[in-house]
Each structure stands twice: as C-alpha cells, then as structure tokens.
Amino acid sequence: MKFNIKDIAQEGRPVNHRYTSAEVRAMLGKSELEPLDRPAELEVELTLYRTNDAVMVYGSARGSYWLSCSRCLGPCHVKVDEPDLRLTFLPPPTEFEQERELDLDDLDTATHDGVEVDLEPLLCEQLVLALPIKLLCQPECKGICPSCGADMNDKPCDCKEELPETNPWKRALMQLNEEK
C-alpha cells in the first residue's frame, strides 16, 4: 500500500483497508514464513499526516492467519491485534546521518524515497511480530513421534521406540551428547 507524499494533507489522510487472504499470505511469504492455505485477514485503520518531509502514521491493525505448529506441524491460528501503531517516515538519511549510532527513538522510524511511502513493510512486520516465540496449536501439544512421525495429539503411537544402536539418527545424537 503506497501513498504519494504530496497527496497526504497536513490535517491527515484516513486509510481503512481490508486485505484478502491471498494478500495476507503473500505478505507473509515475503517474510519467509509459509502460511497455510486457510482463511487469513488483516484490517488496518490508519491516518497519515505530513509535516514538511516527514510522514507520520497512526492507527491499528487486526487480523489472523494460519501457520504450522512447531511441534506437530498441524494448523496453528495466529491473531494480530496492534491497537496503537505509530511510525514516522523520514527522507533518506544524509551521509553524516548514516554513520551515527541508532537509539531507541529510531525504532519507530523508517525512510521514504522522497516521493511516496510504502506501508506494506510496516504491516508485514506487524504480522511477524504477532508470532509467539514457540508457535503451538495448543499449549499441551504432544508433537510427533520421533520414530514413526505419528501425530501424538490424535492417539498414542503404537511403534516401539528403536534402540539407539539400530536408529542412525539417535546414534548420532547420542554421540553428540557424549562429546559435550
């Protein structure tokens, strides 16, 4: 979602947009995430303000999408709820400004090219920031059986765990643990 800076009035420009499932999945794909082919949504309510060369963005983003669980690879629902988005777009930095050290105030700033601002990277960032550290389909997810790959959430696995001597993967892991 790009906006020409000259079209943004100082008193503000409201932007309300609802992204389709395909658009949300495409944004996630740019972040190297692999969203599942399930309903996804993102709705943004923003206001853009311009002061000289800077553009300020205030608003909210809400939505949801699906990724694979970290333990069982089943579907995992991710919700996005950012009620207080704030970002300032500044013109490209001068050579002197490029060499200075960043501080906390720089975390909510981005640059524009002098002609337009692109909000898609900001929104994509919000989709990624909504991810928990460990993405689980349910808090008690049991994962998959390391021997046969069965989903332990559906039913207990009937296979007998192989002895490390017969499973090359387990043998290699045991050797790594012994070396520590």
Side-chain angles (χ1 to χ4, degrees):
M1 188 171 8
K2 296 181 180 183
F3 297 92
N4 190 311
I5 294 172
K6 292 179 183 177
D7 294 339
I8 302 170
Q10 288 182 337
E11 56 273 0
R13 176 178 179 175
V15 175
N16 297 322
H17 186 73
R18 182 180 294 259
Y19 287 86
T20 65
S21 287
E23 290 171 325
V24 174
R25 286 194 295 270
M27 266 196 273
L28 289 165
K30 291 178 185 176
S31 297
E32 298 183 16
L33 294 173
E34 296 178 17
L36 299 178
D37 191 18
R38 289 179 165 228
E41 61 184 357
L42 180 64
E43 185 172 352
V44 294
E45 295 177 10
L46 306 170
T47 304
L48 286 68
Y49 299 94
R50 180 175 53 90
T51 59
N52 298 330
D53 293 335
V55 175
M56 279 80 66
V57 179
Y58 300 100
S60 63
R62 288 178 178 75
S64 64
Y65 56 94
W66 294 83
L67 294 174
S68 296
C69 175
S70 298
R71 288 187 187 156
C72 70
L73 303 178
C76 185
H77 193 231
V78 178
K79 292 184 180 181
V80 178
D81 186 11
E82 182 53 58
D84 193 28
L85 281 177
R86 295 172 186 256
L87 188 69
T88 302
F89 287 89
L90 299 173
T94 63
E95 187 175 320
F96 171 75
E97 291 172 326
Q98 285 180 345
E99 295 179 11
R100 75 176 178 82
E101 189 173 321
L102 297 176
D103 58 23
L104 286 176
D105 293 335
D106 295 322
L107 294 178
D108 63 349
T109 60
T111 58
H112 59 71
D113 61 6
V115 178
E116 61 186 10
V117 291
D118 185 4
L119 298 182
E120 189 171 301
L122 164 72
L123 299 174
C124 188
E125 181 179 276
Q126 292 306 311
L127 291 172
V128 173
L129 288 174
L131 288 171
I133 292 172
K134 189 73 164 177
L135 187 63
L136 299 176
C137 60
Q138 57 186 335
E140 308 81 32
C141 180
K142 297 175 184 170
I144 57 175
C145 172
S147 296
C148 69
D151 186 346
M152 303 292 282
N153 294 312
D154 293 338
K155 61 178 181 163
C157 168
D158 291 337
C159 75
K160 297 197 177 8
E161 192 169 329
E162 295 179 30
L163 297 173
E165 299 81 33
T166 60
N167 185 319
W169 292 102
K170 289 185 180 180
R171 190 171 50 246
L173 286 173
M174 287 183 68
Q175 288 174 348
L176 284 174
N177 284 333
E178 290 172 0
E179 291 174 6
K180 289 184 178 180

